[in-house]
Amino acid sequence: MKSQIKLLLLALLTMSAACQHTESPPPPTLSQLRVEGTQLVDASGQAVVLRGVSYGWHNWWPRFYNKESVQWLKDDWGVDVVRAAMGIHYDEPELTYNAEPEKAVEIISKVIDGAIESGVYVIIDFHSHHLELELAKTFFADMASKYGEYPNVIYEIYNEPIHDSWEEVKAYAKEVIAIIREIDPDNVILVGNPHWDQDLHIVADNQIEGVSNIMYTLHYYAATHGDYLRERGDYALSKGAPIFISESAGMEASGDGPMDYEAWQVWQDWAEERKISWITWSVSDKDETCSFLKPSASSKGGWREKDLQESAKATRAILRQKAGLE
């Protein structure tokens, strides 16, 4: 009898151990995106419009860079893309890629890994305002090696050029694109342009040639940027230059000031009519209009109404409606 009991206990222990070592289910598989003409499309050629949010500078808000916040943004906000803003900064270099590259990559990788695990797209953003060619080449060689096999990944190779000319940005882009394409032949690459991604009319007349699956970024803040920037966007589209709105919001370009809902709605309608993907700025808890969260907000999602600032409430409502969660 004792031997039978021992055998039974051994069998139960073996079953328990097997259950404990069961592998996690594989992450959801997303469609491989590509660019056809001016349109972002999926593997079957159907038009795709991605809608989501950008995390704030990783070096200032590392506490939000985790897979739990990505999952919350997907489940509660309805995002299908997030943007990891990997900061290059000289005034306050702590944790920036130029000062602490290994730590910076460790931080942003938590959002990238979280996006892959959650089944959303992720923009790996080199969040600089100045040309940093060698840093960018090193960074994107690393990112393409680690993540190039995943269809989730989109590369944004230069956040917002300010003083650089388009000729300078174009030369930089060609070198960085070549580095990525040596490793990752197909994931979409976003290219910035002068004056905070607003000179699309110049880009349109002098586009990068000989490479596929690239798009040009447009950034707007609705209370500051109006018809002239949409006209530049339309001109770019008419010239065959694909557009991706990788940063936007409803207040002034400073990131502060009141929300201009009427102007923001005009921008929203313009993008949707043209099937242009868009990202809103940002997951952060600074005391300014463009920051989504208050300091009371948990680092890992689960945000309550009282944790959200005005821009977050409005952005969340739009995203939930577009995702069919409302």
Side-chain angles (χ1 to χ4, degrees), residues 31-50 121 151 153-154 181 185-190 212-215 242 244 275 277:
S31 183
Q32 179 68 56
L33 301 177
R34 67 178 190 274
V35 181
E36 270 189 15
T38 60
Q39 184 61 56
L40 187 65
V41 301
D42 63 18
S44 66
Q46 295 298 308
V48 170
V49 179
L50 300 180
Y121 293 96
V153 169
I154 299 169
R181 286 293 181 246
D186 46 22
N187 278 332
V188 173
I189 298 173
L190 306 181
S212 60
N213 292 340
I214 68 167
M215 307 184 83
F244 194 113
K275 294 184 172 62
S277 299

Side-chain angles (χ1 to χ4, degrees), residues 258-278:
M259 294 286 291
D260 188 333
Y261 288 104
E262 183 176 350
W264 196 19
Q265 187 62 57
V266 173
W267 271 108
Q268 290 283 325
D269 293 343
W270 182 83
E272 293 291 338
E273 287 167 5
R274 290 155 182 78
K275 294 184 172 62
I276 297 173
S277 299
W278 55 265

Side-chain angles (χ1 to χ4, degrees), residues 51 72 74 117 121 182 188 233 245 322:
R51 306 175 184 91
W72 179 258
K74 177 188 178 183
E117 185 176 321
Y121 293 96
E182 286 179 6
V188 173
I245 299 172
K322 295 295 184 184

Side-chain angles (χ1 to χ4, degrees), residues 276-303:
I276 297 173
S277 299
W278 55 265
I279 297 283
T280 301
W281 178 268
S282 70
V283 180
S284 55
D285 62 2
K286 187 177 179 180
D287 184 18
E288 62 180 358
T289 312
C290 69
S291 288
F292 288 151
L293 303 170
K294 298 177 182 178
S296 61
S298 163
S299 298
K300 296 185 177 182
W303 303 318

